[in-house]
Amino acid sequence: MTLLVLVLFLRRNGAVYPHSAVSDHIYEATGKDPSMDAMRIAVRRARSVIARAGWPVMIRTAYGIGYSVTWPHGWTMPQAGGNAMPCAEDTLPTSHAPAGDTRS
């Protein structure tokens, strides 16, 4: 759920995402309606991911509304292959076929 929140929040600088928009985004991706607690935890984890990456992205709670997301003008998210840290997808083997299976 944290990745879904990050994907939504990093779409547009200065955006305000109501709780309903976050919930709808998660529901569309998972088919499950998240609880408010689950959304809060996902946002807290998203903040942690952003902090560990050293990105200047601010996720602020707009009490009674949802979340606002901002970053400095001109900042762009690092692209894979640059100084970005590899994610799990980048480190997985290219083929998931069992040994002896010739499909790729």
Side-chain angles (χ1 to χ4, degrees), residues 59-75:
I59 300 173
R60 293 183 178 91
T61 302
Y63 292 98
I65 299 169
Y67 302 96
S68 67
V69 182
T70 58
W71 54 82
H73 180 72
W75 179 80

Side-chain angles (χ1 to χ4, degrees), residues 1-10 22 25-26 39 42-43 46:
M1 195 177 315
T2 303
L3 180 59
L4 294 172
V5 169
L6 281 169
V7 167
L8 176 65
F9 285 0
L10 294 175
V22 178
H25 182 72
I26 293 168
M39 284 195 304
V43 170

Side-chain angles (χ1 to χ4, degrees), residues 20-33:
S20 60
V22 178
S23 178
D24 290 349
H25 182 72
I26 293 168
Y27 180 80
E28 288 172 8
T30 65
K32 296 178 183 175
D33 198 15

Side-chain angles (χ1 to χ4, degrees), residues 37-58:
D37 286 340
M39 284 195 304
R40 284 188 197 109
I41 290 168
V43 170
R44 185 176 62 227
R45 289 178 179 166
R47 286 179 173 132
S48 177
V49 167
I50 288 168
R52 282 194 319 262
W55 295 353
V57 177
M58 295 297 301

